[in-house]
Amino acid sequence: MAIDDKKVYYDEKDGSPAASAVEPVETGHVDVKCRFPRLAVRQEESSFAVTKRASNADFDPIPPSKRTWNWGAYVAYWMADAWAVSNWEVASSMIAVGLDWKMAIGACVLGNTIMGLVITINGRMGATLHTPFPVLSRMPFGYYFSYFVVLSRCVLAIVWLGVQTTTGGQCMTVLLTAIWPSFKNIPNHIAADEGITTAGMVGFLLYFLLQLPFLCIPYTKVQYFFAFKSVIAPIIFLAIFGDTLHKAGGTISQSDVISGGAKVSGSVLAWAFFANLNGVLGNYATLGLNIADFSRYANKPSAQNVQAIVIPVIFTIVGLLGIFTAAAAQTAYGEVMWNPIDIIMLWMESGSHGGRAAAAFGAIGLIIVTLGINISANSISAANDLMSFCPRYINIRRGQLLAAFIGSWGFVPWKILASAAKFLAFLGGYTIFLGPMTSILITDYYIVRRGNVSVPDMYNFHGMYRYSPKYATNWRAVAAFFIGCIPPLPGFVNNIVVAGLEKTSVSLGGQHLFAIGYIYSFVAAGVFYYGFNKFFPHTESMLNHPETGEDIIAANDAKNVEARRASLAERKPNIIKRMFEV
């Protein structure tokens, strides 16, 4: 792309100036030959991709008519994401390692405030350029290495989608037991080491089938489901808290959770705080990296800025309620109970119709909660990532369904939750790889390029972001990435081994570096990436103005809108079909 005021776009015969010296390799995307043309997904006219194998309508920059998320949609999005069992229980591990409840909340507030800022800053890119995270990652990392970055994010999203489906299956089991008490007496024919019973598998299967139509809700309308969940979820969790507090006599002061102080002191306490702060940061480090997958739907760049306030506020409220409910449960039921599903199960013990009805409504509410989590945090992200590998055949809807099948059945998530402590420790410590990726992306856009980027080149395999004719990778980003993630790596390995009740020879210093792994890797990678670009700049990809191609996108969007209106007038689809149309 030239560095003057003339806008240059691409067709298959005329590549960018930056690509003129590149040997002729098929442009756009490395993909298999199209053997099933009828399975190919729709591609908008406004696509900057030079071949149909490089993009599709969902992978292109979002056109103006589909930018439907205002600031309220982002409030609903995070309300849907925050009211979750995992966030309710977030303080349990902190108190278990010796922090008191006030320090646990302090770690939550600080961690969520930092992550709120990271998400908002990174989200500005998507809200401005309207491209998904896999496309944006090509800008700093180059075409080939961006696939490693995307794959790293994709695997996490798919695994957590499966884990959340398991949680939803547990809620479904509670619902079925509340309606038909004999359900819990179904004979078990599954081996004990599998981590699930026959009744549990029935609940898992029914929940899996239930969530499939919700995964088909288009991104232009899914914010309405988030708004619905943002009303239902607080009602359910507040009901659980209120009932537990009532049974505890209206007080929580007698619980060890509240009255007990910190169990460690000095440097041990300080490092325990930092380790748990790192855990809070890691909880949403994935969305900190790929928030552009959602901010790209913003109707204006400032719409997503509300995230900086909503994230720390709502996550702190959920964490506090989780602590207070666990404390009240100790008085009400004789033990500290962090999992709200366990409390709902106790509502049925009396066998009364009222208890069963309350448990049924509570389970329905938690089912809605897990549906929202799987859409907001996992399935859409995984779909965008999968789409980048095969955009001719995978759009967002197909990607969501594919991710659901892989995560729910390929990764056997019920067994992960039941026995794979090392694997869970691996997932929790993966932040040392996500931190550098996020930092490099932010540093590249805001500091190195100052927002002067070319969206058309992100879709052109021979564009300026190819960097190397042979490797199509930016060595500066690769070097900065490894500088960020390698030093905490010994502590990461130690964390996995210790989770398996074994020991390593990793020094205390190595363990402490991992305890601040996200912060270290984020800062180190960003500083070194800036330094590499300062002393070894890639001048061919530097612009003095942004090239978004907005005029082309808007002009073609106007034509597409008219075509859709004409099609609707001719077909006259019913309300169900219109609900699932993009």
Side-chain angles (χ1 to χ4, degrees), residues 153-169 204 207-208 211-212 215 286 370-384 386 396-414 416-417 427:
R153 171 66 185 97
C154 182
V155 171
L156 281 181
I158 291 176
V159 171
W160 285 119
L161 193 157
V163 169
Q164 284 293 334
T165 301
T166 303
T167 302
F204 180 86
Y207 177 84
F208 172 78
Q211 78 174 345
L212 293 182
L215 297 181
T286 49
T370 54
L371 284 172
I373 286 288
N374 256 353
I375 295 173
S376 63
N378 300 318
S379 68
I380 291 180
S381 300
N384 277 285
L386 290 171
I396 288 181
R397 181 172 295 171
R398 292 180 185 180
Q400 286 182 276
L401 296 175
L402 180 60
F405 276 94
I406 296 173
S408 300
W409 302 105
F411 283 101
V412 287
W414 54 85
I416 291 176
L417 285 177
L427 293 177

Side-chain angles (χ1 to χ4, degrees), residues 14-320:
D14 189 13
S16 69
S20 59
V22 180
E23 58 186 273
V25 182
E26 185 179 10
T27 57
H29 182 79
V30 179
D31 199 2
V32 295
K33 186 177 180 180
C34 180
R35 297 176 181 175
F36 307 99
R38 291 187 178 182
L39 295 179
V41 297
R42 185 168 55 89
Q43 185 182 37
E44 297 281 9
E45 269 187 73
S46 61
S47 174
F48 296 122
V50 292
T51 71
K52 291 186 176 182
R53 292 159 59 182
S55 186
N56 59 53
D58 289 348
F59 207 53
D60 283 348
I62 295 296
S65 66
K66 297 179 182 178
R67 298 169 190 170
T68 58
W69 289 34
N70 56 21
W71 67 269
Y74 289 97
V75 172
Y77 173 86
W78 284 107
M79 285 283 285
D81 216 70
W83 291 97
V85 174
S86 58
N87 297 320
W88 185 266
E89 299 175 315
V90 70
S92 62
S93 60
M94 301 184 192
I95 294 175
V97 298
L99 301 185
D100 63 24
W101 72 273
K102 294 179 181 177
M103 291 191 71
I105 286 300
C108 290
V109 173
L110 181 58
N112 287 315
T113 299
I114 294 173
M115 191 49 62
L117 292 173
V118 170
I119 286 173
T120 304
I121 292 170
N122 202 10
R124 184 83 179 187
M125 279 182 256
T128 302
L129 304 177
H130 302 287
T131 54
F133 157 70
V135 173
L136 288 175
S137 66
R138 297 169 182 174
M139 181 174 59
F141 292 103
Y143 214 97
Y144 282 164
F145 197 74
S146 71
Y147 285 121
F148 167 77
V149 174
V150 172
L151 181 63
S152 301
R153 171 66 185 97
C154 182
V155 171
L156 281 181
I158 291 176
V159 171
W160 285 119
L161 193 157
V163 169
Q164 284 293 334
T165 301
T166 303
T167 302
Q170 294 170 351
C171 298
M172 181 64 74
T173 302
V174 173
L175 175 60
L176 295 173
T177 305
I179 298 173
W180 298 288
S182 60
F183 182 79
K184 66 179 179 181
N185 299 323
I186 291 179
N188 181 39
H189 300 288
I190 299 177
D193 61 354
E194 290 298 318
I196 194 169
T197 63
T198 300
M201 181 58 74
V202 172
F204 180 86
L205 176 61
L206 291 177
Y207 177 84
F208 172 78
L209 295 174
L210 173 67
Q211 78 174 345
L212 293 182
F214 287 91
L215 297 181
C216 294
I217 300 175
Y219 55 81
T220 54
K221 299 168 184 174
V222 73
Q223 70 269 30
Y224 302 119
F225 176 71
F226 293 152
F228 171 68
K229 185 205 163 179
S230 68
V231 174
I232 297 296
I235 293 174
I236 296 300
F237 282 106
L238 287 172
I240 294 171
F241 167 65
D243 179 77
T244 308
L245 184 64
H246 174 72
K247 291 179 179 177
T251 180
I252 59 175
S253 59
Q254 298 176 9
S255 171
D256 295 338
V257 175
I258 302 300
S259 60
K263 298 179 180 63
V264 292
S265 60
S267 62
V268 176
L269 177 62
W271 283 111
F273 177 84
F274 283 120
N276 283 284
L277 172 64
N278 193 63
V280 174
L281 292 170
N283 196 27
Y284 279 89
T286 49
L287 277 170
L289 175 62
N290 74 294
I291 188 61
D293 288 339
F294 299 94
S295 63
R296 64 193 291 232
Y297 306 132
N299 59 2
K300 56 183 178 180
S302 61
Q304 59 96 42
N305 292 347
V306 71
Q307 297 177 115
I309 299 172
V310 172
I311 292 173
V313 171
I314 190 60
F315 278 82
T316 300
I317 291 173
V318 174
L320 270 173

